[in-house]
Amino acid sequence: MNIATEVNKEVLGQIAAESIAKINPNSRHGQRWINAIARATAEIEINPYMTYNHDSKSLLMMSDTSNEIYNANRTCSCKAYSQGFPCRHRAAARLITIYIERYA
Ligand SMILES: [Zn+2]
């Protein structure tokens, strides 16, 4: 699956909205997760350098801002994750996992 070109943006937007609705913005990192999901949704639609691994349910993506390659599922190899913060890579991996489980 070439994610950026094949993903249905309406469906992705729906999944993102559902995910955001479940988050309490006042919880620890709640607002950060909301921001991460919003940025992940936008990035999924345009970043051609994303590969989803169905076995590990992980997403390999090259960042358009840092040119680093990140591997994300429940953990991530980025700096934000190492500092204990939500990141858009994990948000993107989760969104795509839900998308595939539900619609693919
Ligand atoms: Zn990350």
Side-chain angles (χ1 to χ4, degrees):
M1 177 185 184
N2 182 323
I3 294 163
T5 56
E6 291 178 31
V7 78
N8 180 309
K9 290 178 186 182
E10 230 169 274
V11 171
L12 181 68
Q14 177 65 31
I15 292 169
E18 285 171 17
S19 301
I20 286 172
K22 288 180 192 161
I23 296 171
N24 175 353
N26 299 316
S27 65
R28 181 171 154 79
H29 296 327
Q31 192 56 53
R32 283 180 191 270
W33 272 121
I34 290 168
N35 295 344
I37 291 167
R39 285 186 307 173
T41 306
E43 184 159 0
I44 288 167
E45 294 176 357
I46 58 161
N47 187 340
Y49 306 111
M50 289 189 163
T51 303
Y52 186 77
N53 183 313
H54 290 257
D55 294 324
S56 62
K57 296 184 178 176
S58 60
L59 182 69
L60 202 62
M61 62 189 275
M62 190 167 95
S63 169
D64 51 354
T65 49
S66 68
N67 286 340
E68 300 269 352
I69 294 172
Y70 300 113
N71 189 17
N73 48 23
R74 297 201 186 284
T75 65
C76 188
S77 53
C78 78
K79 201 169 161 185
Y81 180 76
S82 74
Q83 294 170 344
F85 292 116
C87 66
R88 71 182 192 281
H89 318 110
R90 287 161 73 204
R94 184 72 188 127
L95 291 171
I96 292 172
T97 298
I98 294 169
Y99 183 97
I100 287 170
E101 284 175 352
R102 204 182 289 181
Y103 300 101

